[in-house]
Amino acid sequence: MARWCYRHRLVVLFLWVGALFGVGFAGSAAGTDYANSFSLPNTDSTRAYDLMEKAFPQSSGDTDTVVWKVDDGTVRDESVRSRIEPALEEIGRMEGVGEVSSPYAAQGAAQISEDGRIAYAQVTFTEQANSVPKELVEDVVDTAQDAERAGLQVELGGQAITRVQEPPTGIAELVGIVAAAVVLFIAFGSLFAMLLPLVVAIAALGTGLMATSLLSHVTDVPEVAPLLGSLIGLGVGIDYALFIVTRHRKGILRGMKPEEAAVTALNTSGRAVLFAGGTVCIALAGMLVMNMRFLDGVVIATSLTVVLSVLAATTLLPALLGLLGMRVLSRRQRRRLAAAGPESEEASGLAARWSAFVERRPRSVAVMALVAMVILALPVLSLRLGATDQGNHQESTTTRQAYDLLAEGFGPGFNGPLQVVAERGDTDALVSAIRSTEGVAQVAAAPPAQGITVIQVVPTTSPQSEQTDQLIDRLRDDVIPESGTEAHVGGVTAIFKDFASVTGDRLPYFIAAIITLGFLLLLVAFRSLVVPLTAALMNLIAAAASFGVLVAIFQWGWGTELLGVGKEGPITAFLPVIMLSLLFGLSMDYQVFLVSRMHEEWVHTKDNARAVRVGLAETSRVINCAALIMICVFSAFVLSGDMEGAMAGIGLAAAVALDAFILRTALVPAAMHLLGNSNWWLPDWLEKRLPHLAVEPREETVEVGGATGAVENVPHARVPDDKAHSTVVHGFVRRADGEPVEGAVLTLHSQGGGLRLDQVTSLADGSYIVSVPGPGAYLLSATAAGHAARARQVTVGEGPLVYDVELAEDEVDAVN
């Protein structure tokens, strides 16, 4: 498929552009129909909601609030009324506004605070908040706030008002893309190479978001779903393309033609992308086991963007590679390739030195990394799930100030009243019992409708307070049963309490399911019991530490105002499920990319220390680059204006940073060094029963020499698997004082020295590995700047040969 897309690039581009604009046009024409359905089957709040819907089947539109406060006098003063009443009358005449309930009306006395300094009016639109035109809401806000004067403050709150104060759609995505572009340009040094991952991610994300808006007309998709879809789609879309482009550029630098490099990149990294994308989708689908209707739409939006990201990376990307050809390299790289020929891609520099350091001090590295993760995870012990509301908005927003004014004038519980819905029985006795209950500020019963009575209960504490949760429990467990009335406690606060309770109860099963799934996938991929067990443990550590960061920032309030995300409060109830799904998928990406390279070395050398060292040295750079891009993309969602989006962005950015920079580059390799060969242990009976899965197969090698099967001038070459007796020679190149020699060129010749079989360059720690076509005698030569050349005859048996080379000045060894 990669070759077809490469050769028919214009057809592929036409199909993608047509799909993007076609779905975009359909989505724009149809609009959106997002619906937040937080109700849960078999919960008390859902039963209350069902009864209210039965009693009041014709629900009105969204109701928002205009709040005003005077510094001196009261809101009843003529100087205040003369400014507020005309504004309310003008709002009431606007098309799209159904009703305005004024505190100055005959029945509006309850809408004025006891001290007379704060009052509110309710503006009821003819549509729900999502359908109210933005221009209408802006007119309402402007008209109300035009009534302000010195000593008279006017603020507005409600769902429709919240929508108009959010930043323009796409700001977070744009900032994330720009930040990712900077990282990509630094990594590649080429404008065209930088643009490739961005174009692929944007094409997949745009198609996914438009398709999600169309799906919102046929199924329930919550408002937060497109935001989360953008967050995960942009991150994985850029990362998947990055992995493939990196492998493609590596192939060209090693002397391959652009088409063959693209095919090889898709056959290696492309397979890993398919595997990684599949694991992310499976992890996201794991949310379905929670049996929460709200999460179904989140699964649809996020999975769709991931699927399209994988599809774009495996079809659109090779087509773009075909258009660019050699221009995927920078001008300097193209000039160097033309002048000096193919170069070795042996890992060197900081990555190789860090890998060697981890090998020398695995215990120290493991302890430091583990201590850091444990410290960051400590706040998770105080995790409290709940809901965010307008009280968590930034202090500068009108919704936050309206929330605070209502709490000041009518009590903190006024912003989150409870509805006790009674179907039959003595409601007078129930009202009396509720009024005398600790934690209740006000009680008011509405006239019965179809035999159903709704009792409005205002708590003395705020909606996010633990005391409010305790009040709900008292009403359900004690007050209502003792009254002898069949009733249920509902309202937004009760719904989110039930949501948090159900999430907490089901979360352990969800975690067990995704951890088990990850274990089985890695077991099949790497044919080891210890590797998947290590990965499962690391995923749990990463999750705990990232939630610790989330609690410290959003629940404890460490830097919330500095970050511009508003006031502290409980962690949104549905966020742990979504974050764990995404974290599991992203962690699997990095684990597969890291361990697959280690596994390849282990298969060839059976040397665990070398396998871990080489795997870390050769993959840490691209893993860290991919992680840095995801951190930029996720962190940018703080600018989304959505509290849940900001939580998810900060939480996932912290998770990726900890996973990539501490776990995958420090704790995992250190642990694998300590575990030794047991990393790759698998019982024989299980080995025979496991299916074979090639996550990232080895690149094909160039064979020369006819029947001899020799491999010529392919850096770090591998002998094909069909050579039954192929093996390797590996070891270290050192000086006489034991210091490693980096950059030494080691060449394996036939016994007479006439045919070159393989050539590699030693790493920063002096390690090397050359491929041998089969048992026998060979000539191994080593040269390095500032050192005398050395050549020795080596005899290779059936297995790998460990052979260390010592180079010294002013000495030349004869062939032995």
Side-chain angles (χ1 to χ4, degrees):
M1 184 179 70
R3 194 180 299 277
W4 189 92
C5 292
Y6 188 96
R7 292 180 175 177
H8 299 83
R9 39 193 174 269
L10 293 180
V11 175
V12 175
L13 286 174
F14 176 78
L15 291 175
W16 266 100
V17 171
L20 180 60
F21 281 95
V23 176
F25 176 79
S28 300
T32 62
D33 189 21
Y34 298 123
N36 292 327
S37 178
F38 291 102
S39 61
L40 296 170
N42 302 318
T43 58
D44 198 54
S45 58
T46 299
R47 297 187 186 97
Y49 177 82
D50 292 340
L51 287 174
M52 290 181 66
E53 195 173 47
K54 177 182 175 182
F56 309 100
Q58 301 298 325
S59 59
S60 60
D62 184 69
T63 298
D64 289 32
T65 307
V66 180
V67 190
W68 57 97
K69 175 186 178 181
V70 293
D71 293 340
D72 299 309
T74 71
V75 295
R76 298 183 180 90
D77 294 344
E78 184 59 31
S79 59
V80 176
R81 293 187 60 170
S82 64
R83 299 186 66 86
I84 296 296
E85 280 191 302
L88 295 180
E89 290 172 1
E90 182 179 348
I91 292 173
R93 290 192 296 268
M94 292 180 182
E95 184 178 353
V97 175
E99 180 185 4
V100 176
S101 61
S102 171
Y104 302 122
Q107 299 177 344
Q111 295 173 228
I112 299 177
S113 63
E114 290 184 5
D115 61 7
R117 297 180 57 209
I118 298 175
Y120 70 91
Q122 291 184 319
V123 179
T124 302
F125 295 98
T126 57
E127 303 286 346
Q128 290 297 314
N130 292 338
S131 303
V132 177
K134 188 174 182 179
E135 296 76 12
L136 171 60
V137 181
E138 290 173 344
D139 287 343
V140 170
V141 173
D142 293 341
T143 302
Q145 293 191 334
D146 284 345
E148 283 188 331
R149 61 169 173 79
L152 174 61
Q153 178 185 3
V154 181
E155 307 293 346
L156 296 92
Q159 293 301 315
I161 307 299
T162 299
R163 292 181 61 224
V164 300
Q165 69 182 15
E166 293 173 350
T169 303
I171 290 293
E173 290 87 342
L174 181 60
V175 172
I177 289 172
V178 171
V182 173
V183 176
L184 288 169
F185 186 76
I186 294 173
F188 288 148
S190 167
L191 177 64
F192 290 117
M194 174 201 76
L195 290 174
L196 282 174
L198 299 179
V199 171
V200 170
I202 292 170
L205 180 60
T207 308
L209 290 181
M210 289 297 101
T212 300
S213 68
L214 290 174
L215 288 173
S216 68
H217 293 277
V218 296
T219 186
D220 287 339
V221 178
E223 285 183 293
V224 75
L227 181 65
L228 295 172
S230 298
L231 189 147
I232 186 64
L234 199 56
V236 301
I238 295 176
D239 270 12
Y240 291 167
L242 168 67
F243 290 148
I244 295 174
V245 172
T246 300
R247 180 60 66 94
H248 174 72
R249 284 162 50 90
K250 180 178 178 181
I252 294 178
L253 289 171
R254 292 173 62 176
M256 301 176 70
K257 293 181 179 180
E259 180 176 342
E260 296 305 318
V263 172
T264 300
L266 267 294
N267 193 42
T268 52
S269 294
R271 288 175 181 261
V273 164
L274 285 172
F275 183 85
T279 58
V280 173
C281 289
I282 292 171
L284 293 171
M287 286 190 280
L288 299 176
V289 305
M290 298 292 289
N291 193 27
M292 295 180 177
R293 188 178 178 186
F294 171 78
L295 294 176
D296 295 350
V298 175
V299 173
I300 292 172
T302 51
S303 298
L304 184 59
T305 53
V306 172
V307 169
L308 288 171
S309 297
V310 172
L311 184 61
T314 53
T315 58
L316 178 60
L317 182 56
L320 294 173
L321 293 175
L323 285 177
L324 291 180
M326 292 294 293
R327 286 175 296 175
V328 74
L329 301 179
S330 66
R331 291 181 180 178
R332 181 190 301 176
Q333 288 174 318
R334 295 200 298 270
R335 288 195 297 266
R336 187 167 61 241
L337 183 62
E343 63 183 43
S344 170
E345 282 293 309
E346 295 284 357
S348 59
L350 181 61
R353 289 193 293 272
W354 170 253
S355 182
F357 176 80
V358 174
E359 182 184 12
R360 290 195 303 270
R361 302 179 181 276
R363 284 186 175 82
S364 300
V365 171
V367 169
M368 287 190 295
L370 191 59
V371 168
M373 297 298 283
V374 169
I375 291 175
L376 291 172
L378 287 176
V380 82
L381 298 176
S382 62
L383 173 68
R384 188 168 72 89
L385 301 179
T388 59
D389 56 26
Q390 294 174 12
N392 298 111
H393 291 180
Q394 297 180 49
E395 289 184 355
S396 59
T397 60
T398 187
T399 49
R400 166 71 180 274
Q401 295 187 42
Y403 185 99
D404 292 343
L405 288 178
L406 289 173
E408 178 186 346
F410 304 92
F414 187 82
N415 286 295
L418 308 175
Q419 281 88 42
V420 177
V421 186
E423 190 170 10
R424 64 180 73 90
D426 185 4
T427 56
D428 293 337
L430 178 59
V431 170
S432 177
I434 294 174
R435 184 173 287 112
S436 61
T437 301
E438 179 185 356
V440 174
Q442 299 177 30
V443 180
Q450 300 186 23
I452 296 173
T453 302
V454 177
I455 304 171
Q456 186 95 336
V457 180
V458 177
T460 57
T461 50
S462 68
Q464 296 179 350
S465 170
E466 291 187 56
Q467 286 79 9
T468 303
D469 288 348
Q470 294 168 3
L471 171 62
I472 295 173
D473 290 334
R474 276 196 298 274
L475 293 174
R476 288 173 172 172
D477 299 338
D478 302 325
V479 177
I480 293 175
E482 290 174 1
S483 70
T485 305
E486 183 177 344
H488 307 281
V489 181
V492 174
T493 306
I495 288 174
F496 273 100
K497 181 185 184 306
D498 289 344
F499 203 96
S501 177
V502 172
T503 300
D505 292 341
R506 298 177 184 175
L507 198 57
Y509 302 101
F510 170 71
I511 294 174
I514 60 176
I515 291 296
T516 302
L517 174 64
F519 176 85
L520 294 176
L521 288 172
L522 293 180
L523 174 65
V524 174
F526 300 120
R527 316 194 74 73
S528 162
L529 283 176
V530 177
V531 167
L533 281 175
T534 304
L537 181 60
M538 296 303 165
N539 285 347
L540 290 175
I541 293 174
S546 60
F547 273 103
V549 173
L550 205 63
V551 168
I553 294 176
F554 290 95
Q555 188 174 313
W556 293 357
W558 290 5
T560 50
E561 294 293 346
L562 181 64
L563 291 172
V565 294
K567 185 182 177 183
E568 70 275 6
I571 304 302
T572 304
F574 60 81
L575 199 61
V577 179
I578 297 173
M579 272 192 59
L580 285 172
S581 294
L582 300 179
L583 175 59
F584 167 79
L586 298 177
S587 296
M588 285 287 289
D589 288 358
Y590 297 146
Q591 183 75 3
V592 167
F593 198 70
L594 173 68
V595 179
S596 62
R597 185 65 187 90
M598 295 178 179
H599 185 251
E600 181 182 346
E601 287 296 320
W602 167 255
V603 169
H604 278 80
T605 66
K606 300 301 179 184
D607 183 343
N608 178 76
R610 176 181 175 81
V612 176
R613 182 181 65 250
V614 172
L616 177 61
E618 294 191 1
T619 60
S620 60
R621 184 173 182 271
V622 69
I623 287 176
N624 291 338
C625 181
L628 192 57
I629 289 171
M630 280 207 176
I631 292 168
C632 293
V633 171
F634 292 158
S635 300
F637 278 80
V638 172
L639 305 175
S640 65
D642 183 273
M643 193 66 167
E644 287 80 9
M647 281 188 185
I650 293 293
L652 287 173
V656 169
L658 297 174
D659 191 281
F661 301 137
I662 297 182
L663 290 185
R664 307 302 161 187
T665 57
L667 189 53
V668 169
M672 294 184 72
H673 276 301
L674 293 173
L675 291 170
N677 291 352
S678 59
N679 282 309
W680 314 104
W681 176 75
L682 186 69
D684 292 338
W685 63 268
L686 187 56
E687 167 70 31
K688 296 176 182 177
R689 290 168 173 78
L690 283 180
H692 286 267
L693 174 65
V695 176
E696 192 170 349
R698 292 185 299 276
E699 299 179 25
E700 296 180 359
T701 56
V702 181
E703 297 188 42
V704 298
T708 64
V711 182
E712 181 179 357
N713 200 29
V714 182
H716 218 67
R718 298 293 183 223
V719 179
D721 291 337
D722 58 1
K723 306 298 182 188
H725 299 290
S726 62
T727 184
V728 297
V729 176
H730 66 99
F732 293 87
V733 183
R734 295 190 174 94
R735 297 202 308 254
D737 58 4
E739 287 298 312
V741 178
E742 180 182 2
V745 178
L746 294 103
T747 308
L748 186 73
H749 301 268
S750 60
Q751 185 174 7
L755 181 63
R756 185 171 63 182
L757 305 177
D758 194 10
Q759 187 176 77
V760 297
T761 305
S762 63
L763 304 180
D765 60 353
S767 62
Y768 77 94
I769 178 171
V770 293
S771 297
V772 181
Y778 301 90
L779 182 67
L780 179 66
S781 64
T783 59
H787 297 78
R790 169 165 293 190
R792 284 195 182 275
Q793 181 175 298
V794 293
T795 302
V796 182
E798 294 291 338
L801 172 65
V802 179
Y803 186 80
D804 293 337
V805 179
E806 182 179 306
L807 295 181
E809 297 180 353
D810 301 326
E811 179 185 350
V812 179
D813 285 354
V815 176
N816 192 5

